[in-house]
Amino acid sequence: MSHDQVIDRRRRDRSRNLLNTEQQHLPQRQRQQRRRRNEENDDTEPPSEDTTADADATPPPPPKQHQELTSLYEGYGTHYVDLWVGSPTPQRQTVIVDTGSQLTAFPCHGCQNCGDEYHTDGYFNYEDSETFRKLGCEDCLAGRCQKNGGGEEPYCRLGLSYQEGSSWNAFEAEDVMYAGGKHNTAVAVDTDDAEEEEGSGSGDDGDASTDPILLAGEYAFDMTFGCQTSLTGLFKTQLADGIMGMSMEKGAFWRQMHRSGVIEDSVFSLCFNRQPIVDKGGTLAGAMSLG
């Protein structure tokens, strides 16, 4: 062994002896803590790097919206909203927003002299809807059981009279419907179909995943309403076809909508505007939020 190697070995031995001496003079608690840290460091493996992640993976879709925004239109001293009723092809019925009642109703097929020449739309033809159901007495929500003779099935009868002289009568029914959307064309209830419809047009309707107009079909639900069989007074000559009940009672449109689960919160809001001229084709005059 050379002289340099001997010197180097002595230095290593001296350093080892100094470390052992330091360990011996440490308090017992510190030595135990240092030993535990060393053992934990030995047992801990560095995190493995995920090499399977795809940097070009499609990001997750945005969360479903839980508030619907719809347009309000101006009538003759009133504001109304579009309802699209029935399936597979929804039929439009325009309805006055009424915060003083829980009843939603509009003229149905068979209504005699019910003002179709004044209204924006013809009568709702429930025979064309695969999801329409006339309610029996066991399913009445706001109506009363009506029992007639002659073998006619009992049904739920609705009716309302107003101080200025208008009135209407109806039977209670249920069908799938949604509020808002396009003013003159129904949007598909199924999201994929709505995107196909949007893509087949001129391309000016916007993105179906974010446009509240094209998303209206996602808020469709089974709604109990009144199928009007007769009406008088201003209900005959008004611009809108019927009425939408938006009171605090259980039969109100927004309350039924919330119970169906398509909106998260049991709230709604109205923002009114007023235009100098009202057109039968639709005069935009505000907005309504649901949820």
Side-chain angles (χ1 to χ4, degrees):
M1 183 180 296
S2 66
H3 178 72
D4 291 340
Q5 289 175 333
V6 171
I7 296 300
D8 185 59
R9 182 174 181 178
R10 288 178 179 176
R11 287 175 177 171
R12 289 199 303 271
D13 292 342
R14 189 160 48 248
S15 298
R16 190 179 298 111
N17 292 335
L18 288 173
L19 180 59
N20 291 335
T21 302
E22 180 185 3
Q23 292 282 1
Q24 292 172 2
H25 287 83
L26 282 173
Q28 183 178 1
R29 179 176 297 178
Q30 292 185 17
R31 290 200 301 270
Q32 292 174 346
Q33 291 175 349
R34 180 174 291 185
R35 189 180 302 113
R36 280 196 297 268
R37 285 197 299 268
N38 291 336
E39 291 173 354
E40 291 173 357
N41 291 335
D42 291 339
D43 294 337
T44 303
E45 295 181 1
S48 60
E49 189 173 329
D50 185 6
T51 59
T52 62
D54 185 359
D56 298 328
T58 303
K64 177 179 173 61
Q65 299 185 37
H66 293 287
Q67 181 187 66
E68 184 185 11
L69 298 176
T70 70
S71 299
L72 289 177
Y73 299 90
E74 190 166 345
Y76 304 143
T78 62
H79 285 73
Y80 65 88
V81 67
D82 294 334
L83 276 187
W84 293 91
V85 189
S87 67
T89 304
Q91 303 170 49
R92 188 183 72 172
Q93 292 292 299
T94 56
V95 286
I96 294 172
V97 178
D98 180 13
T99 57
S101 168
Q102 66 172 328
L103 303 179
T104 296
F106 41 82
C108 287
H109 172 70
C111 194
Q112 298 296 322
N113 193 25
C114 291
D116 58 334
E117 68 271 27
Y118 299 100
H119 298 166
T120 59
D121 304 278
Y123 306 149
F124 172 63
N125 190 351
Y126 51 79
E127 293 181 349
D128 291 338
S129 177
E130 297 178 354
T131 47
F132 176 85
R133 183 170 70 96
K134 185 175 181 178
L135 299 184
C137 290
E138 67 278 4
D139 295 322
C140 294
L141 178 63
R144 295 183 177 181
C145 182
Q146 179 75 33
K147 296 181 180 180
N148 296 328
E152 183 180 355
E153 290 291 331
Y155 66 96
C156 301
R157 182 183 180 276
L158 287 173
L160 208 57
S161 298
Y162 298 81
Q163 190 171 2
E164 42 77 23
S166 300
S167 64
W168 55 266
N169 290 293
F171 62 86
E172 210 164 26
E174 180 186 87
D175 207 340
V176 62
M177 67 177 69
Y178 68 87
K182 296 180 179 180
H183 184 50
N184 294 313
T185 308
V187 299
V189 171
D190 182 81
T191 305
D192 295 335
D193 293 343
E195 291 176 354
E196 291 176 3
E197 176 185 329
E198 182 272 331
S200 63
S202 63
D204 297 331
D205 291 332
D207 183 358
S209 64
T210 58
D211 191 334
I213 293 177
L214 299 178
L215 286 173
E218 293 189 3
Y219 297 93
F221 67 101
D222 292 334
M223 169 76 183
T224 299
F225 64 99
C227 239
Q228 291 174 335
T229 56
S230 66
L231 50 84
T232 64
L234 295 179
F235 271 98
K236 180 179 177 180
T237 58
Q238 68 186 20
L239 181 59
D241 304 314
I243 194 165
M244 172 191 275
M246 294 291 285
S247 69
M248 295 294 294
E249 298 166 274
K250 65 179 181 179
F253 183 88
W254 64 284
R255 296 292 299 273
Q256 291 195 54
M257 191 177 185
H258 177 254
R259 286 199 303 274
S260 72
V262 296
I263 55 174
E264 192 169 278
D265 298 320
S266 182
V267 295
F268 75 94
S269 65
L270 298 166
C271 178
F272 296 108
N273 194 356
R274 189 165 190 144
Q275 301 296 334
I277 298 176
V278 175
D279 185 81
K280 189 174 182 179
T283 303
L284 190 62
M288 176 173 67
S289 69
L290 295 159

